[in-house]
């Protein structure tokens, strides 16, 4: 399952763009900060940056990335979302939160960017840039590069969400995630014997409709007990996220 760790972001991106239509795992060894201190993120609280971690409990390279992304869970300028994928479920441990829909979403990003494979642990920043999830400094730099400084406003009134006027044609998604720290004991597979703390685990991902550049309202169903909600406005399948809000 292991692949040689990319020595830089460029090599990582090249690996993710390989010709094989198969999943890949990247080793977490030596992946702390790439030899430099973390960059200071410059996210905008009014336009929070969405960071999507694609991981699996069956992937031995994922726990360092999970620990990094967990650090962002309480920040107002970032919406960190942990998507559990299914393609390592045959390695002796089936991820307890995985969904084929989340695997399909990661493939949407790969296909949109012309990459022939998917990888764990991978973070997609605002739908634009893939980053090796265990490299905190590179992730901070990607947040700074890809932060939305403008975009349609998202206004919430009761169960109505209104996406303001702007440019584009986008899908409006509602994401339900569990904000708690959930400690999962792994009893088999590559992470057997470890307990992995998860935060912001995505449990539901539902399209509300299409936004076509004019102010438009959408009804958000009541969230299941214990779950929080984020709204994402995404330009195209596997495209950039142009607006987001926690509600």
């Amino acid at each position: 399952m292991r692949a040689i760790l990319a020595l830089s972001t460029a090599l990582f991106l090249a690996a993710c763009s390989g010709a094989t239509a198969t999943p890949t795992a990247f080793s977490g060894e030596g992946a702390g900060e790439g030899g430099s201190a973390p960059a200071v993120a410059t996210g905008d609280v009014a336009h929070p940056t969405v960071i999507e971690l694609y991981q699996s409990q069956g992937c031995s390279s994922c726990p360092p990335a999970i620990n990094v992304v967990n650090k962002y869970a309480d920040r107002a300028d970032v919406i960190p979302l942990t998507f559990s994928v299914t393609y390592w479920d045959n390695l002796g441990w089936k991820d307890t939160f995985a969904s084929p829909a989340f695997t399909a979403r990661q493939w949407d990003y790969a296909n949109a960017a012309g990459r022939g494979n998917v990888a764990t642990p991978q973070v997609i920043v605002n739908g634009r840039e893939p980053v090796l999830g265990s490299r905190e400094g590179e992730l901070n730099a990607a947040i700074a590069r890809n932060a939305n400084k403008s975009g349609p406003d998202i206004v919430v009134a009761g169960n109505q969400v209104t996406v303001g006027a702007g440019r584009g044609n986008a899908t409006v998604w509602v994401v339900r995630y569990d904000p708690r720290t959930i400690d999962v004991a792994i009893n088999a597979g590559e992470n057997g014997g470890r307990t992995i703390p998860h935060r912001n685990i995505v449990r539901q991902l539902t399209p509300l409709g299409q936004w076509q550049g004019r102010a438009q309202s959408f009804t958000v169903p009541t969230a299941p007990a214990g779950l929080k909600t984020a709204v994402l406005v995404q330009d195209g399948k596997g495209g950039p996220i142009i607006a987001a809000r926690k509600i």
Side-chain angles (χ1 to χ4, degrees):
M1 170 181 172
R2 291 183 176 274
I4 297 174
L5 173 65
L7 299 179
S8 67
T9 301
L11 289 178
F12 169 69
L13 297 179
C16 284
S17 300
T20 57
T22 56
T24 306
F26 293 93
S27 169
E29 298 170 3
E33 293 304 331
S36 61
V40 177
T42 57
D44 182 349
V45 173
H47 303 91
T49 300
V50 179
I51 57 175
E52 302 178 39
L53 170 64
Y54 291 89
Q55 63 85 39
S56 171
Q57 296 164 0
C59 166
S60 62
S61 303
C62 288
I66 293 170
N67 290 337
V68 167
V69 173
N70 283 352
K71 295 179 182 181
Y72 294 83
D74 297 317
R75 280 178 46 167
D77 62 334
V78 175
I79 303 177
L81 300 171
T82 299
F83 288 90
S84 301
V85 297
T86 57
Y87 48 81
W88 296 130
D89 282 355
N90 61 347
L91 295 177
W93 180 260
K94 186 175 181 180
D95 191 291
T96 55
F97 303 114
S99 168
F102 305 156
T103 302
R105 181 169 175 82
Q106 191 184 19
W107 271 111
D108 285 343
Y109 281 123
N111 292 332
R115 296 189 297 270
N117 65 356
V118 291
T120 57
Q122 183 180 62
V123 174
I124 305 292
V125 181
N126 255 355
R128 297 182 177 96
E129 182 177 350
V131 179
L132 180 59
S134 52
R135 292 196 166 186
E136 186 175 358
E138 293 181 9
L139 178 54
N140 269 312
I143 290 170
R145 283 193 297 271
N146 293 284
N148 288 323
K149 301 300 183 182
S150 62
D153 293 328
I154 300 175
V155 177
V156 181
N159 68 342
Q160 294 292 304
V161 169
T162 299
V163 180
R167 300 178 63 183
N169 187 336
T171 301
V172 179
W173 296 93
V174 62
V175 184
R176 311 292 196 183
Y177 62 94
D178 194 327
R180 300 172 299 164
T181 297
I182 303 174
D183 292 319
V184 179
I186 311 300
N187 298 321
E190 291 195 349
N191 288 317
R194 303 182 68 166
T195 296
I196 301 177
H198 295 284
R199 291 199 70 182
N200 286 19
I201 285 285
V202 175
R203 305 311 304 269
Q204 297 178 359
L205 177 68
T206 307
L208 291 181
Q210 292 296 121
W211 172 80
Q212 298 177 327
R214 57 180 174 80
Q216 192 169 349
S217 296
F218 303 87
T219 300
V220 179
T222 301
L227 299 186
K228 289 194 173 182
T229 301
V231 173
L232 315 181
V233 182
Q234 185 165 25
D235 188 5
K237 192 174 183 179
I241 293 171
I242 61 175
R245 179 169 173 174
K246 300 175 187 178
I247 62 174

